[in-house]
Amino acid sequence: MMIRANIKGCGSYLPERIVTNDQLAERVDTSDEWIRQRTGIRHRYVAGENELTSDLATKAALAALEHAGIDATEIDLIVCATATPDETFPATATVVQRNLGVTKGAAFDLQAVCSGFVYGLSVVDSLLKTGQARTALLIGAETFSRILDWEDRSTCVLFGDGAGAIVLQAEEGTGDITDSGILNTHIYSDGRYHDALYVDGGPSSTGTAGFLRMEGKEVFRQAVSRMPEAIDTALQTSGLSPSDIDWLVPHQANIRIIEAMGKKLKLPKDRVVVTVDKHANTSAASIPLALTEAVYDGRIKRGDIVMMAAMGGGFTWGSALLRW
Ligand code: COA
């Protein structure tokens, strides 16, 4: 017997406003063709002026609770993966906690940028397994539009806003691969890559929020090797092979990175969930947004083996293997 973190439901939220590539081409020297060819992105969602990360997070959380059929009063852990919190403190997770009327347990933010959701799965899995919580909300929520330099064509076309959430509950499993829930997680970081992807501001450095800066080519190079490595480790740990994967739900940064991963795993294209075309890169929100789409449209079914992998600033990266 062992405790498993079972996923009871998922949900997501996107802001109303869609910004197309053509609209961006009116602001910076770019084109729909360049953006689509290099990234696969067609449009992205951008939060309203008064819409905060906590607002997106709360709406995604409510959708996930409804999908799970679980009342907010049962929640005793809220983890919000975000690199764009409402304020420097308190944690955006505590704002969500208040919005949901939850008054027990713990709520905190987790900062691993685009790897935030995979890191969050690892942290929540541990807390549920050690009995420190029973019913958890894991949210990935971002308003990257607030930290983009809208004059920099090499970055502003790549990102979007959004949120996704899942509800997890501690349940008894057998401990083997037939269990549903999180089967294993592997998380990594290497701070030597700071300069390849960072924000040039913050409370302790400039006192401003700063703007995202990126060496796209270096990120690309690392992403196509680190994520497959983390996936291999997940498969080895569980004794599975790539052909056992029903669905790959990768971080959604660039269609070329996603396709390279699918190819390395020899996965047919229709087993890879892709939303980067519609959402662009929503950082910690990208995996739960993609997951929710594929669960709601019936692609991902109970019992399916789902592999997640992400990579982000730091660098941080990792994988999570679960049975839906
Ligand atoms: N529109 C038009 N041209 C653009 C452009 C844009 N939005 N952005 C950059 N360019 C130009 C560059 O200035 C460069 O011009 P030059 O050759 O005259 O210098 C040219 O396009 C090629 O740029 P390059 O950076 O070499 O393109 P690329 O093929 O590496 O694609 C990225 C750029 C950013 C799409 C790609 O590197 C990438 O996706 N990297 C990973 C990013 C990522 O995933 N980040 C998040 C990780 S969580």
Side-chain angles (χ1 to χ4, degrees):
M1 288 291 204
M2 89 182 268
I3 300 288
R4 288 286 189 196
N6 260 314
I7 302 178
K8 310 303 284 185
C10 57
S12 62
Y13 178 76
L14 290 157
E16 261 172 43
R17 187 155 77 100
I18 291 177
V19 176
T20 64
N21 293 343
D22 284 334
Q23 285 170 309
L24 286 179
E26 290 166 14
R27 285 168 90 148
V28 289
D29 183 13
T30 189
S31 65
D32 176 51
E33 197 196 352
W34 191 96
I35 300 171
R36 271 193 291 115
Q37 273 184 2
R38 300 287 175 124
T39 71
I41 297 165
R42 288 189 287 115
H43 58 66
R44 72 284 296 137
Y45 293 78
V46 173
E49 218 170 291
N50 300 314
E51 205 171 23
L52 307 183
T53 295
S54 62
D55 297 322
L56 309 185
T58 301
K59 286 180 174 150
L62 285 169
L65 286 165
E66 195 185 334
H67 184 239
I70 286 176
D71 196 79
T73 53
E74 283 189 53
I75 299 295
D76 57 5
L77 174 66
I78 301 175
V79 176
C80 184
T82 186
T84 45
D86 291 7
E87 298 155 326
T88 301
F89 79 77
T92 297
T94 62
V95 180
V96 174
Q97 189 188 31
R98 181 186 61 190
N99 291 349
L100 297 177
V102 175
T103 53
K104 66 179 183 196
F108 60 89
D109 286 359
L110 189 155
Q111 160 63 291
V113 209
C114 299
S115 309
F117 193 76
V118 167
Y119 266 61
L121 284 167
S122 189
V123 168
V124 170
D125 188 35
S126 304
L127 290 172
L128 293 185
K129 275 187 175 146
T130 55
Q132 293 188 71
R134 209 186 95 73
T135 307
L137 248 177
L138 171 61
I139 308 164
E142 304 277 16
T143 47
F144 260 51
S145 61
R146 306 269 158 72
I147 54 162
L148 294 176
D149 175 352
W150 288 98
E151 313 272 294
D152 175 11
R153 68 176 184 176
S154 71
T155 53
C156 77
V157 304
L158 302 175
F159 297 89
D161 301 338
I166 59 174
V167 180
L168 303 103
Q169 211 154 41
E171 284 172 354
E172 270 187 10
T174 60
D176 69 35
I177 201 74
T178 59
D179 284 348
S180 58
I182 299 176
L183 299 175
N184 66 55
T185 61
H186 292 85
I187 55 174
Y188 308 95
S189 53
D190 187 341
R192 288 175 299 175
Y193 291 96
H194 171 278
D195 293 356
L197 181 52
Y198 68 104
V199 168
D200 63 2
S204 177
S205 55
T206 58
T208 60
F211 292 119
L212 183 148
R213 305 294 175 203
M214 182 174 73
E215 289 171 34
K217 272 204 189 327
E218 179 65 5
V219 178
F220 195 101
R221 227 188 338 262
Q222 294 292 330
V224 292
S225 62
R226 305 282 175 157
M227 285 190 282
E229 274 166 29
I231 289 173
D232 278 349
T233 308
L235 289 172
Q236 274 167 28
T237 306
S238 55
L240 296 179
S241 66
S243 60
D244 294 315
I245 299 173
D246 292 307
W247 300 101
L248 176 65
V249 185
H251 171 51
Q252 308 282 320
N254 184 317
I255 190 67
R256 291 187 291 146
I257 297 176
I258 295 172
E259 283 176 357
M261 284 165 65
K263 230 182 230 165
K264 274 194 182 166
L265 288 165
K266 296 195 174 66
L267 275 185
K269 270 191 180 174
D270 61 2
R271 294 270 141 178
V272 182
V273 180
V274 174
T275 51
V276 68
D277 53 331
K278 292 175 288 191
H279 305 160
N281 182 348
T282 57
S283 185
S286 89
I287 288 179
L289 272 163
L291 176 75
T292 300
E293 183 174 300
V295 168
Y296 281 27
D297 70 19
R299 274 179 287 170
I300 297 179
K301 294 182 187 62
R302 285 289 164 200
D304 283 355
I305 289 283
V306 180
M307 178 71 81
M308 297 170 176
M311 151 109 187
F315 288 140
T316 55
W317 67 98
S319 63
L321 181 68
L322 52 98
R323 189 182 292 282
W324 185 251

